[in-house]
Amino acid sequence: MKAANFGYLRLLELDQALRALAQGDGAAKPMGGGQSLGPMLNLRLARPAQVVDVSHIASLRTVRVAGDWIEVGAGVTHAEIEDGVHAPLAGHPMQQVAGGIAYRAVRTRGTVGGSLAHADPAPDWVVTLAALGARVRLQSPRGERSVDADGFMLGAYTTVLESDELVVSIDVPRQAPTTRWGYHKLCRKPGEFAEASAAIYVDAP
């Protein structure tokens, strides 16, 4: 199948993207790497009047340390995390998890923020970030708010995101030397969605 007709905007500034989403009044949809939204468009499971491409917004593609937290931009790709492109995530649990997401071609385009916003129950970040105690930062023309990762997803393909909001970053705790963690998923074959997954993250005494 092919997607239904839609308008397309590729924007370079966060403020522009937020205005476009607000002006869409629920009929505009943001797109990062397109690995989730693209198939839904082609299957006509999603029919937005406007697609707002946020993949080239520089502020969404940064990673920085802020105290005990690492702020991961929503536009950072799985492959960048896997490859240790961003020093604060080198050796972090997120690096190992990223390397097991789908296939390399998907990891090269797919973004952590897009995966979360899509809210498919099977992908890796939903359960991993909840176990890490991460926080999801959302922004709209009305302001900014932070939501705990374990409360961000309300159900399959359903989140607390309002129609004019965008995931701008995910804040994860820096890994302490005493931290112990694990992640495991069951798939029919490597690269496919998990049939079941579990994660644990604890500070050992």
Side-chain angles (χ1 to χ4, degrees), residues 1-143:
M1 293 184 66
K2 295 183 179 179
N5 289 334
F6 60 86
Y8 173 81
L9 282 176
R10 188 176 77 174
L11 301 174
L12 303 180
E13 300 294 336
L14 179 58
D15 289 347
Q16 295 175 336
L18 295 177
R19 283 197 300 271
L21 291 175
Q23 291 167 359
D25 196 24
K29 190 80 171 175
M31 181 175 70
Q35 300 305 291
S36 298
L37 181 59
M40 292 190 72
L41 289 171
N42 287 337
L43 292 170
R44 301 198 176 191
L45 296 174
R47 298 190 182 194
Q50 184 98 60
V51 169
V52 181
D53 187 342
V54 299
S55 63
H56 290 74
I57 297 178
S59 62
L60 299 181
R61 306 205 57 185
T62 62
V63 176
R64 72 183 189 94
V65 174
D68 293 331
W69 296 84
I70 303 172
E71 296 181 359
V72 183
V76 172
T77 66
H78 314 313
E80 288 173 339
I81 299 174
E82 176 189 13
D83 294 345
V85 171
H86 303 283
L89 293 177
H92 192 274
M94 288 185 71
Q95 185 175 21
Q96 182 173 336
V97 172
I101 294 175
Y103 303 97
R104 180 66 185 188
V106 173
R107 296 196 294 273
T108 300
R109 291 286 303 167
T111 64
V112 60
S115 179
L116 272 183
H118 183 54
D120 188 314
D124 304 72
W125 290 130
V126 172
V127 65
T128 300
L129 294 175
L132 290 176
R135 305 179 303 208
V136 184
R137 190 157 55 93
L138 313 177
Q139 195 166 331
S140 75
R142 295 175 285 109

Side-chain angles (χ1 to χ4, degrees), residues 123-174:
D124 304 72
W125 290 130
V126 172
V127 65
T128 300
L129 294 175
L132 290 176
R135 305 179 303 208
V136 184
R137 190 157 55 93
L138 313 177
Q139 195 166 331
S140 75
R142 295 175 285 109
E144 184 180 300
R145 63 179 175 133
S146 182
V147 180
D148 289 341
D150 63 357
F152 176 74
M153 185 173 168
L154 301 177
Y157 308 104
T158 307
T159 72
V160 299
L161 270 171
E162 301 290 344
S163 61
D164 63 344
E165 284 184 315
L166 185 69
V167 177
V168 293
S169 73
I170 297 90
D171 302 337
V172 296
R174 298 176 67 183

